[in-house]
Amino acid sequence: MKAQDRRSFLKTAAAVGTAAVGMGTATAAAGPKNILSPDRMGVLVDTTVCVGCRNCEHACKTAHDLPTEPLSSYGDRSVFEQMRRPDDTALCVVNEYENPKNADLPYDVKVQCMHCDHPACLSACIVGAFSKEENGAVVWDTDKCIGCRYCMAACPFQIPAFEYHKALDPQIRKCDFCIERTTKGELPACVNICPVEALTYGPRDEVIRIAKQRIRTYGDRYVDHIYGEHEVGGTSWMYMAGRDFKDLGFPKLGQNTAPGVSEAIQHGIFAYFMPPVALYALLGAIMWMTKTRKEEGL
Amino acid sequence: MRTRVLSLVTIVALLWASPVFGQGSKWDKHAPPKKADISCQTCHAGSAPTRTNPALLPCPRSRILPGFHPDQSGPEVLIMSKVSKEYGPVVFSHKLHADMSTMSGGCYGCHHYNSTSMAILSCRECHPANRARTDISMPDLKGAYHRQCMDCHRQWSKATDCQSCHLKRDARQSTEEALQAARLKGKSHPELAVPKRVVYETRSQRGSFVTFFHNDHAERFSLECSDCHKSESCVRCHERTPGGKASPDPLSRTVKTQRTMEALHAPCFSCHGQDKCEECHVDQPREAFDHAKSAGWALNRFHRALSCQKCHGQSKRFTKVDTKCVTCHKGWTPGTFRHEITSLKLDPAHRELDCESCHIDGNFANPPSCAGCHDDKAYPAQKPGTTVKAAAK
């Protein structure tokens, strides 16, 4: 393939740039949809109840048209021998950890997108493909996505995955909170299939209330911490556990929102158009100084 | 005036019938739960719950009143088919499970809540069948069923596959259902082999062996299994392999202790709390208690059947009792004692004698002596009567 010459590349780039600016003015006022509804939904994952049957993994793949083995094959517990991460072929995975209180009842932890209240992916996305929906779901528009993978770098839980193996039209994949199902009034596929209802779906406030109730009633079963209630400013998916969360593969995160930090720096620098003004002022000053020096030299 | 009084009476009567005054009426009161550790506030918020406003608290599962019915009246086999969509029904051997639960909380392990009506409530009376619902404070029916079953099944079968309980959804489903139900009908958990001696190999620095005579404790102190075994899991007996086969010899075994110090000592400390460590912890496994060896006096068949306290009194540390019969058998005189229970029926001549005439010093442990009266006779070559078949006492 012959490389395109510099002139024609610049021409195309200029044309695309103009078009983008034109479109930008039409949509810029709206910005990416980022709703923090008081009625947003949440899921409580009780890792002390989960039995690690992995039916959720199967239901998830089926609901998202991903290739999967038959459900009967999911009983194979050898998969727990290594820690797994969600990727473009499996939007949620279950990992197993030792239970120091009872070796026969290990803790199983389902991992998927946490659907942050203040999503870092949404903030990082340069084309505004991400949105936080009314029901709490953090979803993205594949038509807008340009595959820059900033969302992957921004996510504090390292959830968004990229279809690296696809040469044509690779996409970002992650849990979408079964937005298609929930808009139809159905439960997320994983919540629906869970045999022990380790996943409780309901309004986020109600879910937190129930979690606190459980900790009060069964104090010796749980650690007194609901992971996701405050982490990175709160998440839609929240976890209860029988041992410290750091031992169950959860990252230790503060209560500040993830985009809060990055946006503060970015917006601070670019406030009042400061960097360009400063740059041009500097260049102007240099020009003026060299000009006077030349005049003096004459 | 009279009408005024009448209307006043009517108003009072109406008020009495209204819910405000009706808290004491018959349908609002129920018999208090039978378990003494449950107060009204266990279930109800506030002091005056009514039928219309019972002000129920979230189910305090662990402290709730149980159902009441004799063990035998529970169903033998149940077929659970209400919630399963993906899989076929579950044929549940209720009786078999009830048998197994004796040592892990009994009926209350599953039937954790019951209304005050005393009837046994089914799970679905409280746990709703639909997962999408407004009240998410307790698990739905599918969740409740599985949570109840899977904690035990995970421990002993190490599996979470659906087919180990659910029938396959196919043409043979109803035949299979009937077959399983027939097979499980009348089936009980085999009677447990009660261990005799268990040697615990502990992690204690001094005296690492603790020998526990299980049968001694159980029989002597008339203990029910559930008096000590309150929350056993199946894996205590069933091997930790898929299939759950019983371990080879549960009757006499050595086990390495793994639980915490507190958990291990709790069952013993209820009686042995004041004892010194070395009372139980020794360097070698102990042999079973033998009265002949320890006391120097073998128990006969009558004495063997007695509890230790019968002779040694109620004190925990048993003291030596002398071996004279009359120490305990105070009413025994030649007139009242039926000598034939010793297999020897005295002849009329000997029947009138004092016991000490033959049993020197009243010591019945030694063989009787004839020398006091006879020069030419000796027991047991000659007997002062006839040998009979030992009579019952």
Side-chain angles (χ1 to χ4, degrees):
Chain A
M1 188 180 145
K2 205 183 164 189
Q4 118 194 96
D5 64 300
R6 190 178 139 82
R7 184 169 293 270
S8 68
F9 170 77
L10 285 175
K11 265 186 188 168
T12 334
V16 169
T18 325
V21 168
M23 271 163 64
T25 44
T27 53
K33 193 171 165 191
N34 192 0
I35 307 164
L36 199 61
S37 163
D39 303 325
R40 64 192 183 281
M41 303 304 274
V43 172
L44 182 67
V45 186
D46 193 330
T47 59
T48 70
V49 166
C50 179
V51 295
C53 69
R54 295 167 60 225
N55 280 11
C56 50
E57 290 185 24
H58 180 267
C60 177
K61 286 185 179 180
T62 315
H64 294 91
D65 297 322
L66 290 163
T68 171
E69 301 287 307
L71 182 56
S72 53
S73 71
Y74 279 71
D76 174 20
R77 299 187 79 82
S78 64
V79 292
F80 292 130
E81 281 160 20
Q82 46 199 336
M83 289 296 139
R84 297 178 302 150
R85 294 287 309 164
D87 59 23
D88 55 309
T89 61
L91 311 183
C92 74
V93 292
V94 179
N95 285 320
E96 194 163 272
Y97 299 86
E98 199 181 303
N99 176 356
K101 294 177 204 161
N102 185 342
D104 293 319
L105 294 174
Y107 292 132
D108 296 283
V109 182
K110 179 178 182 286
V111 188
Q112 75 298 304
C113 172
M114 300 285 280
H115 298 275
C116 302
D117 285 348
H118 306 279
C121 51
L122 186 149
S123 164
C125 182
I126 55 172
V127 291
F130 275 89
S131 59
K132 172 90 176 165
E133 298 293 321
E134 182 90 32
N135 73 344
V138 177
V139 292
W140 72 108
D141 184 348
T142 47
D143 293 338
K144 283 187 191 166
C145 177
I146 55 165
C148 72
R149 287 165 281 135
Y150 276 19
C151 51
M152 294 170 70
C155 178
F157 302 99
Q158 296 151 37
I159 291 298
F162 190 65
E163 295 174 323
Y164 284 109
H165 66 282
K166 277 195 187 171
L168 295 171
D169 196 21
Q171 286 175 4
I172 286 285
R173 296 301 302 252
K174 76 169 191 74
C175 162
D176 60 358
F177 215 163
C178 278
I179 190 91
E180 262 184 50
R181 290 173 60 94
T182 50
T183 43
K184 280 189 281 180
E186 290 172 335
L187 290 167
C190 52
V191 174
N192 191 51
I193 202 166
C194 181
V196 287
E197 208 181 50
L199 312 172
T200 311
Y201 178 82
R204 188 175 184 272
D205 294 344
E206 177 72 0
V207 158
I208 293 172
R209 198 184 63 76
I210 281 162
K212 288 184 174 164
Q213 179 77 52
R214 279 188 210 169
I215 292 173
R216 264 201 303 280
T217 317
Y218 309 109
D220 48 354
R221 188 183 176 105
Y222 299 106
V223 292
D224 189 8
H225 181 183
I226 305 162
Y227 191 95
E229 186 189 4
H230 300 300
E231 271 76 7
V232 290
T235 56
S236 292
W237 279 64
M238 286 161 290
Y239 288 77
M240 303 185 73
R243 62 184 289 196
D244 204 303
F245 280 100
K246 73 172 168 20
D247 303 324
L248 297 175
F250 288 86
K252 184 151 179 54
L253 297 167
Q255 301 198 356
N256 294 330
T257 64
V261 181
S262 55
E263 278 179 6
I265 298 167
Q266 275 191 324
H267 296 179
I269 292 172
F270 289 98
Y272 309 111
F273 219 60
M274 279 298 286
V277 171
L279 180 69
Y280 284 120
L282 183 71
L283 288 173
I286 294 167
M287 267 177 72
W288 183 76
M289 277 170 74
T290 45
K291 192 183 164 200
T292 39
R293 236 180 251 160
K294 266 183 190 171
E295 276 169 2
E296 275 167 13
L298 271 170
Chain B
M1 182 68 192
R2 210 175 154 191
T3 44
R4 225 182 254 177
V5 171
L6 236 161
S7 56
L8 209 88
V9 167
T10 326
I11 288 167
V12 168
L14 276 171
L15 271 174
W16 192 253
S18 75
V20 184
F21 281 78
Q23 284 175 6
S25 55
K26 202 166 71 183
W27 53 78
D28 280 341
K29 275 200 168 168
H30 55 72
K34 284 189 182 171
K35 276 206 150 184
D37 57 338
I38 293 168
S39 74
C40 304
Q41 275 71 44
T42 309
C43 303
H44 302 281
S47 55
T50 63
R51 188 182 178 82
T52 45
N53 182 22
L56 288 171
L57 293 168
C59 180
R61 188 188 163 100
S62 53
R63 295 181 292 129
I64 205 70
L65 65 149
F68 301 102
H69 74 100
D71 290 353
Q72 294 76 20
S73 65
E76 281 196 280
V77 178
L78 291 169
I79 293 169
M80 298 168 161
S81 55
K82 289 284 189 297
V83 283
S84 184
K85 288 191 191 84
E86 283 85 2
Y87 291 93
V90 174
V91 182
F92 175 65
S93 51
H94 181 273
K95 185 177 183 297
L96 194 58
H97 280 81
D99 285 350
M100 290 187 279
S101 74
T102 340
M103 289 198 272
S104 58
C107 308
Y108 319 139
C110 294
H111 296 282
H112 59 97
Y113 175 77
N114 233 50
S115 82
T116 41
S117 69
M118 302 296 152
I120 302 293
L121 295 180
S122 66
C123 308
R124 81 181 77 96
E125 306 258 2
C126 300
H127 297 277
N130 48 324
R131 181 150 292 183
R133 60 195 192 277
T134 45
D135 179 12
I136 47 172
S137 61
M138 65 173 108
D140 70 343
L141 190 56
K142 178 171 144 186
Y145 274 148
H146 284 110
R147 285 188 195 190
Q148 207 67 274
C149 306
M150 290 187 85
D151 270 5
C152 290
H153 278 251
R154 277 169 83 196
Q155 289 187 69
W156 74 265
S157 72
K158 293 271 176 286
T160 48
D161 59 312
C162 313
Q163 304 289 343
S164 58
C165 297
H166 285 272
L167 293 174
K168 274 190 189 146
R169 267 225 184 285
D170 57 18
R172 278 185 41 77
Q173 183 189 309
S174 55
T175 330
E176 191 58 35
E177 189 181 301
L179 274 173
Q180 276 203 20
R183 190 166 54 81
L184 292 169
K185 215 163 173 90
K187 205 171 175 187
S188 308
H189 189 275
E191 204 167 304
L192 292 177
V194 184
K196 288 196 174 76
R197 189 181 81 146
V198 185
V199 179
Y200 292 100
E201 208 180 318
T202 70
R203 289 161 290 177
S204 170
Q205 297 293 324
R206 287 181 299 138
S208 59
F209 287 99
V210 174
T211 312
F212 175 64
F213 295 98
H214 183 279
N215 55 339
D216 278 3
H217 279 77
E219 288 163 21
R220 296 247 171 91
F221 305 110
S222 318
L223 297 173
E224 293 291 329
C225 303
S226 54
D227 288 338
C228 300
H229 301 273
K230 290 186 197 300
S231 55
E232 290 299 345
S233 65
C234 309
V235 288
R236 272 295 289 275
C237 297
H238 293 274
E239 224 170 55
R240 298 169 167 217
T241 51
K245 295 249 163 49
S247 50
D249 181 19
L251 288 184
S252 183
R253 60 207 162 105
T254 304
V255 283
K256 283 205 167 118
T257 54
Q258 281 166 350
R259 290 178 292 163
T260 61
M261 174 119 168
E262 289 78 21
L264 281 165
H265 286 89
C268 309
F269 274 11
S270 56
C271 296
H272 294 280
Q274 300 301 317
D275 290 352
K276 287 183 183 140
C277 304
E278 53 269 26
E279 299 272 356
C280 301
H281 285 270
V282 287
D283 294 326
Q284 287 296 319
R286 275 193 176 128
E287 287 308 311
F289 176 72
D290 184 344
H291 200 275
K293 253 190 215 169
S294 305
W297 192 64
L299 296 176
N300 68 16
R301 63 198 168 96
F302 297 115
H303 289 117
R304 211 176 294 143
L306 299 175
S307 72
C308 310
Q309 286 90 341
K310 195 89 181 166
C311 303
H312 293 279
Q314 289 297 329
S315 79
K316 272 187 190 169
R317 187 96 9 246
F318 294 152
T319 46
K320 200 173 166 77
V321 178
D322 73 60
T323 50
K324 288 180 184 165
C325 302
V326 287
T327 309
C328 298
H329 303 283
K330 299 220 187 305
W332 279 1
T333 58
T336 57
F337 181 67
R338 288 165 58 227
H339 206 280
E340 51 271 32
I341 65 165
T342 69
S343 311
L344 182 79
K345 191 175 181 183
L346 294 177
D347 55 35
H350 287 93
R351 215 172 289 162
E352 302 303 322
L353 298 175
D354 281 341
C355 306
E356 281 79 12
S357 305
C358 307
H359 299 285
I360 308 298
D361 297 335
N363 189 344
F364 298 87
N366 296 336
S369 162
C370 310
C373 309
H374 309 280
D375 291 333
D376 53 343
K377 293 206 164 73
Y379 183 87
Q382 286 88 24
K383 291 189 178 74
T386 48
T387 313
V388 292
K389 210 176 152 206
K393 200 176 178 183

